[in-house]
Amino acid sequence: MRLVLLGPPNSGKGTQAAQLAEHLGIPAISTGDMLREAVAEGSELGRRVDSIMQSGRLVDDETMAAVVRERLAKVDAAKGFLLDGYPRTLPQVETLEGLLADADRELDAAVQIVVPKEILIERALARGRKDDSAEVMEERLKVYGELTAPLVGYYGGRSLLRTVDGDRSIDQVFASILEAIGR
Ligand code: B4P
């Protein structure tokens, strides 16, 4: 299975990705986690993206293309994958389409997790990661609305979109996603 998880910051993509990956036996590929690891390691990539992530903006599409190309080329992704947090812009959609076409593969579904804005902000304040302050969350939500929300229309137009209500317990959201993808 090849899946994409779509949703605003703090909608629970990472939370669901971990459970889904285990259930489906495919790797969860979180670009947010990969970038945070690079920051923690102090690598060249990490030094470049640290302040961008802390400001709530997106890392540039070219950098992300390199990160995802390298990750999808790993052997564990051959049997399928779950992308958590990629693509986040229309150019990133194009990159992913290109990578899939090169491997003669297609996406099975794009799962959108919907959560009201006030709940997203509540979750951010409760979690308290560096980029979870009220101010940075405003910026992340603005960026989501401008750059990522258009992907919903794109995947909807290709009949790949499955939408689930993310404002419920983690187990309920998980069950809805499995139902939405027919598992
Ligand atoms: P991400 O790491 O993708 O972060 P996120 O969108 O905030 O998190 P997610 O939706 O996964 O929420 P989570 O499960 O953790 O991105 C961080 C940054 O990295 C971006 O701002 C950007 O700068 C950069 N980046 C990443 N990918 C990029 C790309 N493709 N292009 C450019 N830049 C990129 O859950 C959040 C909280 O809610 C947790 O505390 C969790 O316990 C709680 N929660 C989850 N489900 C819940 C539920 N059902 N009920 C109650 N609480 C719940």
Side-chain angles (χ1 to χ4, degrees):
M1 251 211 159
R2 282 169 293 276
L3 299 172
V4 162
L5 278 188
L6 283 177
N10 284 291
S11 55
K13 299 183 297 292
T15 304
Q16 296 300 328
Q19 297 199 23
L20 284 165
E22 197 183 327
H23 186 86
L24 299 170
I26 52 177
I29 300 179
S30 161
T31 46
D33 284 350
M34 289 167 76
L35 295 173
R36 278 185 291 278
E37 272 163 31
V39 171
E41 284 164 5
S43 67
E44 191 271 325
L45 170 68
R47 289 195 301 277
R48 205 145 41 82
V49 303
D50 191 13
S51 62
I52 299 172
M53 293 175 76
Q54 285 194 45
S55 72
R57 285 177 293 124
L58 294 182
V59 174
D60 67 277
D61 292 333
E62 218 171 288
T63 298
M64 295 313 299
V67 167
V68 167
R69 189 178 301 116
E70 192 182 325
R71 181 61 188 87
L72 289 185
K74 294 204 169 148
V75 66
D76 64 341
K79 60 185 174 181
F81 53 78
L82 171 59
L83 279 171
D84 157 21
Y86 191 95
R88 258 176 158 98
T89 64
L90 289 170
Q92 291 185 11
V93 168
E94 272 178 40
T95 298
L96 178 60
E97 295 291 326
L99 292 171
L100 287 167
D102 289 349
D104 204 14
R105 300 273 188 259
E106 285 185 1
L107 268 192
D108 293 294
V111 178
Q112 180 200 16
I113 307 180
V114 177
V115 177
K117 182 180 171 184
E118 52 291 1
I119 304 288
L120 297 171
I121 292 171
E122 243 173 58
R123 286 185 189 175
L125 298 180
R127 179 169 65 176
R129 205 169 67 192
K130 264 190 198 161
D131 56 348
D132 278 335
S133 70
E135 201 186 25
V136 177
M137 260 308 274
E138 275 302 329
E139 178 65 18
R140 290 165 71 198
L141 288 168
K142 189 172 136 240
V143 167
Y144 180 82
E146 284 170 8
L147 299 177
T148 310
L151 275 55
V152 170
Y154 173 82
Y155 285 118
R158 296 194 49 209
S159 305
L160 289 173
L161 189 70
R162 313 280 180 270
T163 299
V164 301
D165 174 6
D167 185 16
R168 292 173 300 150
S169 75
I170 290 170
D171 288 348
Q172 284 171 323
V173 178
F174 181 60
S176 309
I177 295 177
L178 289 183
E179 198 187 333
I181 60 172
R183 291 301 177 108

